[in-house]
Amino acid sequence: MRKMSRKTFIGSLAALGGGPADLLLARLNIPGRPLDPASLRAIGRVVLPSALGAPGVDRVVASFLMWVRNYHTGAEVLHGYGTAELTSTPEMPVRRWAGQLHDLDEVARATHGKPFTRLTVEARETLIRNALKDQRVQVVTVPVEAEHVIAALVSHFVSSAEARDLCYGAVIGKERCRPLGTGPNRPPRRTS
Amino acid sequence: MTRVVEADICIIGSGISAAMVAEHVAEDRVARIVVVEAGGEVPPLAARYALRQRFLDYGETPWPKDHIEELTATGPLQSRSMCVGGLAMHWGGVTPRFSPEDFRLQTLYGVHADWPIGYDDLDPFYQEAEVRLGVAGEQGPPELDPRGKPFPMPALPLTYNLALLKDWAANAGIPMWSQPSAKNSIPYHGRAQCCRNDTCFPICPVGAKYSPDFTWNALRKSRRVELVTRTLVRRLIPAAGSTRIERAVGISLDDRAVPIEFRAKTFVLAGGYVWSSYLLLLSQSSRFPNGVANSSGLVGKYLTGHRNVQAFVKLPMQLYPGINEQHSLVTKKFMRPAKGDFYLRHDLRIWESTVGAEPRLRDDSGGLLLGDGLLTDWQRRAERGTARVRAYYDVLPDQESAVALDASKRTPWGDPLPKLTFRDSPASIEARGPTEERIKSLFAELARAGKGEILRTMVDAFQDHPAGGCRMGHDPTTSVTDGYGRTHDHENLFVVGAPTCVSGSCANATLTFSALSLRSAAMIAEAFPHRTRPPRNT
């Protein structure tokens, strides 16, 4: 049997949409309260660029959940130059992040009488803005350091080659293996 | 019971300097070469793509367990790496040469000390190192960048970004060219072409960047070298009634109860700027109370390196960061100082950068940026490109810039650990402020020439590419080794690479360490007969 790549696997899950895909993705999370994929997708529709479209948002969320799933606490971090210090990866704040998703849902139910995932995009954005109003949210280079799950999701996305290409409207393909090329050519325009 | 290993040449350490020596000697001479490495094996090339992905995704080291928990140092240690291949398993692969002036600082500028060798002495070994490592480079202006032979590979091509930045520098009157690098611009020595995936540091997943494991793999396959890993040499023992080193004694880190002893005709110390001096100092005895090779009292002294000033310059040009972020432009224009009021030499490099064009979740007024608002803000900030400019500048060492034994901190097996102290010479202390200001002024001129603005400037106090500790020289009272790395005190003991440097220049130094090691190797090889036919590969 042909081995399925990680990217293909995530893509297949994303393509399934809700229902069984949610259950599977939720189970991929580490023990404790899981990160709810549906909530993350509902957030993604608000906080990620619309140019991604719904499938693109689903793909980013699936990639984020896979990233969470594959995280190892206590793994040795690259030791830098100029110091003898050795460090390891911290615990991922999944409980806090899951609690933040739960809080959004609680507020949605209290203010709109329905779950967060069933609100309009506008209503979701209002709740998200309220939730982040007093938070020190920022894009972080290491998403595990994000104070809020929304910052973690956005940070995960903007660090990708896909996001870089989207920003610059060009096929840069950062950190991917690409032909060395023979001259100083401008990267081709991004078409979709 | 002690395990005894006999050899013609015992090399202690397995980093890039050791690899150069072993390869050079093994290629042409009949000699049993044993290499002793305190660390363990590194992951094979086939595993590196997955390790790189963990690094990109989570910041995990792609070289897990590449250090020895109990062997550390107090002070600004360059790296904890202690493994087969050493620090050069995760180097950036940047390979400029020092400039001819580096070797004659006292004669030309009246500062510090001359080396016992000149640039012309080292040029053939620079060439050899460039061939062995596989250096892709572009000839700079010959008066600034002299070389006896062309690079073995064409330069890494300039990206769209670097071509624009080169024009910008040219407008400011600064000639720049493609940074020579030990990265394959074409397939080379059975290794792949660079595919600019931009993790040269810390890991090249395709083998396009040279690392010493390739040399060790080839040498072990041909059975010309034996590598003994996880084995720490703790003392060098001179023979009774002689100054020749007779034995290197140590322990297996996997079975500390079993002592191990290496006997050889020639010993080569290739442990880098800390551990080479450290072993010499540790090897003290009643006959050699200051350690071996230390009649001058200078073992561990004159640690050297270079500091840097860098800035990020926003420019009115569209750049596309990510095409090849680790590749850069370089110039040697400032490595030949004009007559001035103080001694100042520095290099200059320019890279593409994303600084000042990062995506963000809050705008300048603190407003939340979500969805298309985030993207629009990011795109607006990315309309103008950013250049990273950096200058390494010469720092001349004080004698007490040193590695010493720290009796207050010991290994589990009872040895004192090293303590590092970097100290500028009085002249360098005096010049530091004006030097850094002059470099900042240069950056400001560059920014003006491109109608740009400096976003921020930083000075890094760390001395990069550290070297010294066993400096070479003609005079045994003011140096530890001769110009070939042979210790003045022990005719069969060589120190190779970084420790032998007299000064640290203002450019990445690994190629120079390699060239110095090859020059030592040529001398070491003379004691052994030539090969008359290819070795049997049975």
Side-chain angles (χ1 to χ4, degrees):
Chain A
M1 196 173 92
R2 218 172 119 231
K3 200 175 163 187
M4 187 182 271
S5 74
R6 179 169 168 265
K7 190 177 169 187
T8 311
F9 177 61
I10 293 170
S12 308
L13 286 182
L16 286 172
D22 284 0
L23 284 173
L24 191 47
L25 285 168
R27 282 186 181 183
L28 286 172
N29 279 310
I30 59 176
R33 179 186 277 173
L35 294 177
D36 174 45
S39 296
L40 284 169
R41 281 198 292 270
I43 288 169
R45 303 277 197 282
V46 175
V47 304
L48 298 174
S50 62
L52 290 174
V57 168
D58 292 353
R59 194 177 59 248
V60 171
V61 168
S63 166
F64 176 66
L65 287 167
M66 189 61 82
W67 175 83
V68 170
R69 167 70 179 88
N70 287 332
Y71 185 81
H72 299 157
T73 301
E76 188 184 336
V77 169
L78 180 68
H79 44 79
Y81 286 154
T83 175
E85 192 183 354
L86 300 170
T87 54
S88 54
T89 51
E91 192 173 335
M92 181 171 275
V94 166
R95 270 176 215 276
R96 186 174 75 233
W97 290 351
Q100 289 160 346
L101 294 180
H102 180 74
D103 290 349
L104 275 174
D105 195 56
E106 291 274 284
V107 175
R109 289 174 194 276
T111 56
H112 294 81
K114 30 180 165 174
F116 179 79
T117 53
R118 293 183 55 194
L119 298 184
T120 63
V121 169
E122 293 74 21
R124 273 181 265 151
E125 178 168 349
T126 302
L127 292 191
I128 286 171
R129 286 187 178 279
N130 279 338
L132 298 183
K133 193 171 56 183
D134 299 322
Q135 298 259 352
R136 291 188 306 120
V137 289
Q138 55 185 349
V139 169
V140 287
T141 47
V142 186
V144 70
E145 292 172 357
E147 288 284 321
H148 200 283
V149 66
I150 292 172
L153 176 63
V154 171
S155 299
H156 178 77
F157 169 64
V158 299
S159 67
S160 68
E162 180 182 15
R164 180 77 63 91
D165 287 359
L166 180 62
C167 171
Y168 286 86
V171 183
I172 300 170
K174 78 171 184 109
E175 292 163 355
R176 291 185 177 150
C177 287
R178 298 152 288 175
L180 191 54
T182 53
N185 300 317
R186 186 194 295 260
R189 290 182 66 82
R190 181 180 178 275
T191 52
S192 60
Chain B
M1 188 176 156
T2 300
R3 180 188 164 203
V4 178
V5 178
E6 302 267 1
D8 291 314
I9 301 172
C10 174
I11 302 175
I12 300 164
S14 72
I16 198 164
S17 292
M20 292 298 102
V21 171
E23 189 176 59
H24 179 104
V25 176
E27 206 164 72
D28 186 40
R29 304 289 172 148
V30 180
R32 179 161 186 230
I33 302 171
V34 170
V35 179
V36 192
E37 168 56 51
E41 303 284 353
V42 290
L45 181 60
R48 291 180 196 165
Y49 218 97
L51 289 162
R52 170 186 183 264
Q53 197 58 49
R54 296 291 306 177
F55 164 71
L56 287 172
D57 290 346
Y58 303 106
E60 291 176 12
T61 179
W63 306 108
K65 301 190 175 106
D66 71 339
H67 58 276
I68 296 166
E69 229 25 82
E70 301 93 333
L71 271 181
T72 184
T74 306
L77 186 66
Q78 167 83 340
S79 171
R80 284 294 297 267
S81 290
M82 198 172 274
C83 58
V84 173
L87 274 67
M89 292 311 302
H90 54 70
W91 70 316
V94 172
T95 51
R97 296 179 173 196
F98 283 8
S99 71
E101 293 78 10
D102 276 301
F103 303 88
R104 303 179 66 212
L105 297 183
Q106 177 58 233
T107 299
L108 293 174
Y109 310 114
V111 298
H112 195 49
D114 287 351
W115 294 48
I117 59 173
Y119 184 86
D120 290 343
D121 296 316
L122 206 52
D123 180 64
F125 300 99
Y126 270 132
Q127 290 167 26
E128 184 180 342
E130 287 163 349
V131 169
R132 290 190 187 279
L133 305 184
V135 172
E138 176 183 355
Q139 169 72 63
E143 69 279 11
L144 295 175
D145 189 25
R147 45 186 309 108
K149 283 185 183 169
F151 285 102
M153 267 188 279
L156 291 168
L158 290 189
T159 63
Y160 177 80
N161 299 330
L162 290 181
L164 292 182
L165 295 171
K166 182 179 178 179
D167 289 346
W168 164 52
N171 284 339
I174 302 172
M176 301 200 79
W177 55 93
S178 178
Q179 170 71 63
S181 302
K183 302 172 195 173
N184 293 348
S185 59
I186 52 175
Y188 188 82
H189 284 182
R191 294 185 287 113
Q193 183 187 39
C194 170
C195 59
R196 61 189 170 97
N197 54 38
D198 257 342
T199 53
C200 319
F201 169 80
I203 186 168
C204 173
V206 299
K209 180 190 75 174
Y210 173 82
S211 50
D213 58 313
F214 297 120
T215 299
W216 295 129
N217 291 345
L219 288 173
R220 285 194 277 191
K221 192 175 172 189
S222 68
R223 302 188 177 192
R224 292 189 178 185
V225 165
E226 180 189 353
L227 215 70
V228 180
T229 61
R230 301 275 305 155
T231 300
L232 179 72
V233 174
R234 296 176 58 207
R235 301 285 187 278
L236 296 173
I237 313 288
S242 160
T243 56
R244 289 181 65 84
I245 301 299
E246 181 182 63
R247 293 173 289 148
V249 298
I251 50 169
S252 162
L253 292 175
D254 296 322
D255 185 1
R256 291 175 193 169
V258 180
I260 186 163
E261 186 173 298
F262 299 89
R263 293 171 175 264
K265 294 172 186 157
T266 301
F267 289 86
V268 180
L269 198 41
Y273 80 107
V274 174
W275 304 105
S276 298
S277 296
Y278 173 74
L279 178 57
L280 296 176
L281 294 171
L282 266 186
S283 300
Q284 54 194 224
S285 62
S286 54
R287 269 181 76 202
F288 298 94
N290 297 321
V292 302
N294 200 18
S295 62
S296 64
L298 292 179
V299 167
K301 309 282 187 175
Y302 289 111
L303 291 186
T304 182
H306 34 252
R307 280 191 288 270
N308 75 78
V309 184
Q310 71 172 328
F312 295 92
V313 185
K314 200 78 173 167
L315 293 163
M317 60 175 73
Q318 173 75 72
L319 299 177
Y320 297 89
I323 302 179
N324 195 350
E325 286 191 38
Q326 294 208 6
H327 189 38
S328 76
L329 299 165
V330 69
T331 186
K332 291 188 161 187
K333 177 176 175 171
F334 308 99
M335 291 176 79
R336 181 167 297 166
K339 294 235 181 290
D341 47 353
F342 64 96
Y343 172 76
L344 166 60
R345 298 174 71 240
H346 64 85
D347 76 347
L348 181 69
R349 290 174 67 192
I350 298 181
W351 294 260
E352 63 181 61
S353 170
T354 57
V355 167
E358 304 93 341
R360 54 188 188 170
L361 271 162
R362 289 204 186 275
D363 61 21
D364 292 336
S365 59
L368 199 58
L369 295 164
L370 300 175
D372 290 345
L374 181 148
L375 180 62
T376 304
D377 176 76
W378 188 10
Q379 287 171 328
R380 185 183 56 74
R381 287 154 57 78
E383 279 170 2
R384 293 191 300 152
T386 303
R388 176 186 168 213
V389 295
R390 190 193 67 193
Y392 279 132
Y393 69 83
D394 268 24
V395 179
L396 304 175
D398 188 77
Q399 182 174 314
E400 295 312 312
S401 187
V403 53
L405 301 181
D406 180 359
S408 69
K409 294 186 174 146
R410 290 184 179 271
T411 62
W413 45 92
D415 294 337
L417 283 165
K419 180 179 181 179
L420 304 172
T421 308
F422 279 80
R423 190 171 294 173
D424 294 12
S425 69
S428 262
I429 291 171
E430 198 175 322
R432 182 172 180 179
T435 293
E436 292 173 359
E437 285 311 309
R438 188 75 62 86
I439 291 170
K440 288 176 190 171
S441 299
L442 173 68
F443 293 166
E445 280 173 38
L446 263 167
R448 274 196 297 277
K451 297 183 171 57
E453 59 177 313
I454 292 181
L455 296 175
R456 63 172 190 259
T457 306
M458 294 100 75
V459 176
D460 189 353
F462 175 64
Q463 292 199 38
D464 215 346
H465 308 111
C470 298
R471 74 174 188 174
M472 57 167 61
H474 293 302
D475 183 349
T477 65
T478 59
S479 58
V480 176
T481 77
D482 68 12
Y484 292 96
R486 188 198 298 267
T487 57
H488 294 302
D489 299 351
H490 311 275
E491 62 172 318
N492 69 332
L493 174 61
F494 287 77
V495 180
V496 297
T500 61
C501 289
V502 176
S503 47
S505 188
C506 47
N508 304 56
T510 304
L511 185 77
T512 299
F513 302 160
S514 302
L516 290 168
S517 301
L518 287 166
R519 192 165 187 272
S520 298
M523 175 57 70
I524 292 163
E526 284 190 7
F528 300 94
H530 283 279
R531 284 187 186 279
T532 52
R533 59 186 178 192
R536 280 179 302 160
N537 196 5
T538 52

